[in-house]
């Protein structure tokens, strides 16, 4: 895989600006509450780390849920699988799920069912990228960083075959023309 085939879609500066806005919005919405952030491994860890440092006056706890969706392929093949469960008891808590990217929405549906079984007081979803394009399901995402129609992205936590998560910017794959 040649990273040169990926052109910059969102710069480091654009990402930080948008993450700051999301952080302020979430802080306002949850003002005075105690929030459990649930990061979806592995892709969301970079976004989560930046997002929570933009919270103002929020009481926050952090946990992670491991879900394997793509393996090392660029399209979903088998149903998503839970690989690591939560360690915080979220019964009666306000939970905000942090995702990197929503594509078919299969991973999201799986994790919502899993988390709702634990009876949180509330459950909202925040995704850095919504890639559902025109195929949008009726599931609305409470906080979205960027919307795109199609393309495979890497960087800022997003991988291809476990690589490129460290890139500061988000890049998109370009087919040969
Ligand atoms: P979904 O189940 O089809 O919504 O896929 C969601 C998961 O697939 C995300 O949490 C990512 O881990 C992975 N994924 C989807 N699109 C991309 C992409 O463009 N780049 C990297 N990973 C992706
Ligand atoms: Mg993911």
């Amino acid at each position: 895989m040649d990273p040169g085939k990926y052109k910059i879609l969102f710069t480091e500066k654009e990402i930080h600006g948008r993450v700051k806005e999301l952080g302020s919005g979430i802080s306002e919405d949850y003002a005075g509450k105690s929030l459990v952030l649930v990061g979806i491994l592995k892709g969301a860890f970079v976004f989560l780390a930046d997002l929570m440092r933009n919270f103002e006056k929020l009481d926050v706890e952090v946990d992670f849920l491991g879900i394997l969706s793509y393996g090392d392929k660029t399209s979903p093949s088998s149903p998503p699988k839970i690989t690591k469960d939560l360690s915080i008891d979220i019964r009666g808590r306000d939970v905000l799920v942090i995702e990197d990217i929503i594509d078919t929405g299969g991973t999201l549906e799986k994790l919502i069912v899993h988390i709702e079984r634990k009876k949180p007081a509330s459950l909202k979803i925040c995704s850095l990228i919504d890639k559902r394009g025109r195929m949008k399901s009726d599931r609305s995402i409470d906080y979205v960083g960027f919307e795109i129609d199609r393309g495979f992205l890497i960087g800022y936590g997003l991988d291809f075959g476990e690589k490129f998560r460290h890139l500061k910017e988000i890049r998109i794959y370009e087919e040969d023309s």
Side-chain angles (χ1 to χ4, degrees):
M1 181 52 58
D2 173 15
K5 284 220 153 203
Y6 287 83
K7 73 163 195 198
I8 294 181
L9 182 64
F10 302 115
T11 63
E12 183 181 9
K13 202 172 160 204
E14 284 169 329
I15 296 168
H16 284 174
R18 187 68 189 117
V19 170
K20 194 161 191 250
E21 287 173 358
L22 286 172
S24 309
I26 292 167
S27 303
E28 273 178 34
D29 295 351
Y30 286 92
K33 289 193 174 166
S34 158
L35 180 63
V36 182
L37 286 186
V38 172
I40 307 304
L41 294 173
K42 301 176 195 171
F45 81 99
V46 177
F47 174 42
L48 184 147
D50 282 347
L51 182 70
M52 69 178 185
R53 284 176 291 173
N54 282 287
F55 290 164
E56 294 139 31
K57 299 189 195 122
L58 261 194
D59 183 6
V60 179
E61 290 167 44
V62 180
D63 205 346
F64 292 96
L65 186 66
I67 300 195
L68 197 60
S69 350
Y70 273 21
D72 59 0
K73 302 192 182 68
T74 49
S75 66
S77 50
S78 47
K81 217 173 55 193
I82 307 281
T83 55
K84 186 219 162 280
D85 207 347
L86 299 180
S87 55
I88 294 177
D89 181 5
I90 58 164
R91 176 177 288 267
R93 306 291 307 273
D94 292 309
V95 172
L96 179 62
V97 165
I98 310 297
E99 252 291 32
D100 50 358
I101 184 164
I102 295 166
D103 185 3
T104 63
T107 307
L108 184 66
E109 292 306 322
K110 171 92 182 179
L111 70 88
I112 286 175
V113 170
H114 184 80
I115 292 175
E116 271 176 349
R117 269 197 216 121
K118 297 175 187 284
K119 306 273 181 242
S122 72
L123 175 58
K124 286 191 175 185
I125 313 294
C126 171
S127 185
L128 178 65
I129 292 158
D130 187 348
K131 198 169 82 169
R132 293 176 302 169
R134 286 176 216 90
M135 287 166 37
K136 281 207 194 308
S137 67
D138 44 11
R139 171 78 64 187
S140 74
I141 312 302
D142 303 278
Y143 304 96
V144 174
F146 303 102
E147 289 188 29
I148 65 161
D149 269 355
R150 74 183 90 136
F152 192 82
L153 311 189
I154 54 167
Y156 197 70
L158 293 160
D159 73 308
F160 174 73
E162 294 299 332
K163 298 194 199 305
F164 311 119
R165 296 193 197 274
H166 64 290
L167 299 179
K168 293 186 177 76
E169 69 283 354
I170 293 175
R171 290 175 173 263
I172 185 163
Y173 185 71
E174 292 213 307
E175 299 291 340
D176 288 324
S177 46

